[in-house]
Amino acid sequence: MSKQPAYLVLNAGSSSLKFSAFRQHSHNDDLETLLSGQISGIGSVARFEAKGADRRRLANHTWNDQDSSCRDTLLQYVLNWVSETLVNDEIVAVGHRVVHGGRDLGRPMRVSPKLLDELDSLVPLAPLHQPHNLAPMRILAKNFPDLEQVACFDTAFHSTQPWLARTFALPQALTDEGVCSYGFHGLSYEYVTSQLLESRPDLAEGHIIICHLGNGSSLCAVKGGQSVDTSMGFSALDGVPMGTRSGSIDPGVILYLMREKKMGLEELEDLLYRQSGLIGVSGISNDMKVLQESNDPDARKAVELFCFRVAKEVAALATSMGGLDALVFTAGIGENSPEIRAMIAERLEWLGVRIDADANARKAYLISATDTRVPVFVVPTNEEMMIAKHTINVLGQMMGNA
Ligand code: ADP
């Protein structure tokens, strides 16, 4: 029996490599998840875990320190394991999550030496993420030159934003060289928008705000199915507070810390990316679930500040796009915490947002009260599936042009 084509999706971070494999249904364009997993702890004690489509654990393995520092070896391990596990399928292409596509890459692209150079030039815009995203592309290009690869950018969905939403009030020369707002979590917003509009085509021209609330959090204003504004800006630090990131703060704070505390670049980076947000305010955890289960008043403060800032951002984005016709919650916190959804919605009653307590508690798709103006949805995100879809489309276009 000939093997069916399958698509591998890679999301490479500083200490983790997440992977998923998909297959296209033979009778329609829908995608089926075959398996998913990750290597975590890269650089310290690397651990491999994987589960099947039915969420059953398929593998669990820990390396000793020496083996785990070589990304080449770890990537090869994933490829071998996936090939051995998917006995009826053959990986024909790999889709990669790439944090930054800059101003010019507004859609997924086939990986080529020229594209890799272009993506390298964007490293200064995302120095903590971009190099890790590019590493597996290079390894695969070297070891498997015939394997097709597609890069999908977290910034691309936001490329439709008007200049007003993209521009900081800085001297024009800085804007011209790329110091502007890009926005992130674009693959999540694209997926959630497509899911929502499939079930509610009446919202196609509507003003939708999507709250992607996870370890990293941001919000996006979507109008006519396109991103028109977002809470994240030049970096993934902007907007609402996150697990360990500050969200927006007065830029004067940075000047103060440099002048009075003599903080340097690395100390500031550590403070803003790793010591702030939920962990900074609570002093307990960066994990929302842990904070919600805690009786400590500082845990409560962190939860309240998070909800306050998300609600404030919803109001700002509604003003930015001139209306609010639907509110959507997604990602780890947005999908799983009825309490957080309720606390945010409570602050938005004046905008016509009201949640039905029962629907919210049982994580219904539509959780708003029947007599309220703005429908509120919980839509699970799936960035990996979005990448797989893009990968298939880009390859399809290539074949069409061949
Ligand atoms: P990432 O940004 O790393 O993809 P996720 O989208 O998985 O993160 O979100 C992780 C966050 O979701 C964590 O703060 C976690 O505590 C939170 N979370 C997951 N389940 C729940 C829950 N049942 N209640 C509250 N928070 C939850």
Side-chain angles (χ1 to χ4, degrees), residues 11 18 97 185 212-217 243 245 278 285-293 330-340 381 383:
N11 179 359
K18 295 182 181 152
R97 181 181 185 176
H185 294 133
H212 175 110
L213 309 178
N215 254 326
S217 296
R245 289 178 242 157
L278 298 178
S285 175
N286 63 327
D287 190 314
M288 183 59 92
K289 195 159 185 286
V290 171
L291 296 181
Q292 284 187 261
E293 285 162 359
T330 193
I333 300 170
E335 290 169 33
N336 296 305
S337 178
E339 189 194 358
I340 299 289
T381 192
E383 288 148 301

Side-chain angles (χ1 to χ4, degrees), residues 64 67 195 203-204 210 264 278 299 302 308 321 324 358 365-366 392:
N64 66 40
D67 289 345
Q195 293 297 108
L203 288 169
I210 305 172
L278 298 178
F308 169 76
M321 72 176 153
L324 178 62
D358 284 347
Y365 181 64
L366 180 67
I392 292 169

